Amino acid sequence: MHTKAMTFSRHILEEAKVQQDMTAELSSLLMQMGYVGKILSREIARAPLKGRLGLVGETNPTGDAQKKLDVYTNDIMVEAFSETGPVAGLVSEELEELKILSLGREAKYILCTDPLDGSSNTDINAPIGTIFGIYRCSGNNHRELEQNLLNERMKQIAAGYVLYGASTMLVYTCGHGVYGFTLDCDLGEFLLVHENISCPARGHYCSANLGRYHEWSSDIQNFIAHLTVHDPSTRRPYSLRYTGALVADFHRSLLEGGVYFYPPDADHKNGKLRFLYECAPLAFVVEQAGGCASTGTQRLLDLKVELLHQRAPFVIGSTEEVALYEKFLTGGT
Ligand code: FBP
């Protein structure tokens, strides 16, 4: 019996005792995210039984064909944070604009989210996830909130993801270490299983869509050639692991070391992944765990953002591999 287990909610309350920026509103927002994770874990597992697989026939703001689960998970996110108080505005992969949820006194945060990461996996029972980044907000109306978010007048103060895999995991940080929880479906509780996660400085896995190899720059092709040389003395070749879900590939690198990258290619001149609700939240997590996130030429979190759905070239994971990737891209090798 898990009587001594640390639940996600208790962990947040304990953090609030020691972390000044862990306000009552932020605590309640995070607990609500835990609740959303439980609902989505149950409903994603039941999706084939409820006719929630397949496409809806629409596209999202960045032109991706929307899956029924993309729309369903986004609706759950909007519903769960509407009128709960702490969230003033929601930025989502599935919404064109920042959606005002509350302008009340408690509404102190902007929630940026990819409600369903890994959409191409929904119909084949492969891992998918939910990504979230939380910004302390300033502004009294839609225009001010959006402008302040885009002009870095808002600070990301918490981030994380939920991974719907063999088990459901929630990983989060509030800027004081990274913690991982596994959902005990019987108890309906996320229980702490990874305390103060530290990303190994070096790994053995690389995650990238090699189907795009010929569209990548020769620098990136040289980086891959370097990783795939047979040289046991330097623990090469690396093993390829590409699940089709950023959250799942990132989770592997976070726990076991390695690197995930999505560079510019013929269809994505600026990379595929979106800064505010895919790259920046995971960059915040990995840096808290001692890893790195970059565009290939600069620290990801230093990137200037002008659009809600702005894309960014992205490399994330162990410090050694990210540094090596940057070296290849800046001709340092
Ligand atoms: P979604 O949020 O729409 O799923 O897009 C992101 C993503 O699916 C990542 O999870 C994944 O790593 C990548 O795109 C896969 O893209 P590709 O099929 O081009 O390799």
Side-chain angles (χ1 to χ4, degrees):
M1 189 55 185
H2 305 288
T3 47
K4 295 204 175 31
M6 170 69 81
T7 64
F8 179 54
S9 308
R10 188 152 72 84
H11 191 268
I12 290 168
L13 295 174
E14 294 298 323
E15 285 291 297
K17 288 182 192 158
V18 290
Q19 312 297 354
Q20 233 185 351
D21 47 12
M22 193 69 142
T23 61
E25 292 83 5
L26 180 58
S27 301
S28 114
L29 195 169
L30 286 165
M31 289 187 201
Q32 188 70 350
M33 187 55 78
Y35 182 51
V36 168
K38 295 174 191 174
I39 295 173
L40 294 185
S41 175
R42 182 188 68 193
E43 293 307 319
I44 286 168
R46 290 178 178 173
L49 309 171
K50 291 202 166 176
R52 282 205 194 106
L53 297 184
L55 293 163
V56 283
E58 308 277 337
T59 57
N60 70 11
T62 42
D64 301 339
Q66 283 181 315
K67 292 285 184 75
K68 289 182 185 167
L69 275 175
D70 283 319
V71 175
Y72 175 78
T73 54
N74 186 63
D75 291 347
I76 293 287
M77 203 57 93
V78 171
E79 230 176 274
F81 289 100
S82 296
E83 290 139 37
T84 49
V87 177
L90 178 75
V91 173
S92 164
E93 180 178 328
E94 308 308 328
L95 297 173
E96 188 68 49
E97 299 208 338
L98 178 146
K99 185 174 178 63
I100 297 291
L101 297 185
S102 163
L103 288 175
R105 213 169 30 76
E106 287 173 49
K108 297 181 175 159
Y109 301 99
I110 297 277
L111 173 61
C112 296
T113 184
D114 178 359
L116 191 91
D117 171 62
S119 310
S120 64
N121 285 354
T122 56
D123 299 9
I124 50 121
N125 197 17
I128 49 182
T130 295
I131 306 174
F132 61 91
I134 299 166
Y135 292 74
R136 190 182 301 114
C137 77
S138 54
N140 302 315
N141 56 49
H142 185 285
R143 198 184 56 72
E144 280 178 17
L145 287 172
E146 195 164 300
Q147 281 317 309
N148 291 343
L149 179 65
L150 293 178
N151 299 316
E152 292 139 48
R153 281 194 284 274
M154 291 188 192
K155 188 164 161 277
Q156 186 172 209
I157 42 116
Y161 55 90
V162 184
L163 172 57
Y164 313 102
S167 63
T168 294
M169 285 211 66
L170 185 155
V171 174
Y172 92 113
T173 180
C174 282
H176 312 281
V178 180
Y179 303 88
F181 301 77
T182 294
L183 180 59
D184 180 321
C185 299
D186 298 336
L187 288 178
E189 287 285 1
F190 279 107
L191 302 180
L192 183 65
V193 288
H194 296 291
E195 182 131 18
N196 237 340
I197 296 173
S198 169
C199 178
R202 174 153 188 213
H204 182 61
Y205 298 109
C206 89
S207 304
N209 180 348
L210 292 191
R212 298 267 182 185
Y213 176 86
H214 296 293
E215 297 170 27
W216 293 337
S217 69
S218 55
D219 298 330
I220 295 172
Q221 292 174 350
N222 293 340
F223 173 70
I224 293 163
H226 172 85
L227 294 187
T228 51
V229 162
H230 190 271
D231 176 6
S233 70
T234 56
R235 290 173 57 205
R236 289 179 295 164
Y238 281 57
S239 292
L240 176 68
R241 294 286 185 278
Y242 192 65
T243 64
L246 162 64
V247 166
D249 292 323
F250 170 67
H251 190 65
R252 180 197 308 280
S253 296
L254 183 69
L255 295 185
E256 298 186 347
V259 63
Y260 169 105
F261 53 95
Y262 205 114
D265 58 40
D267 296 332
H268 312 100
K269 294 281 173 281
N270 209 15
K272 174 185 180 182
L273 300 170
R274 284 60 51 139
F275 180 88
L276 275 175
Y277 43 79
E278 289 173 320
C279 306
L282 300 184
F284 192 72
V285 170
V286 84
E287 289 192 355
Q288 274 295 310
C292 261
S294 165
T295 62
T297 52
Q298 71 173 108
R299 178 175 170 258
L300 190 271
L301 290 173
D302 291 341
L303 194 66
K304 178 132 186 41
V305 179
E306 278 132 12
L307 303 167
L308 281 185
H309 300 285
Q310 182 167 326
R311 300 177 192 265
F314 192 42
V315 54
I316 189 167
S318 298
T319 48
E320 289 187 28
E321 280 82 5
V322 173
L324 192 61
Y325 183 94
E326 289 180 330
K327 233 171 155 188
F328 272 88
L329 257 67
T330 52
T333 55

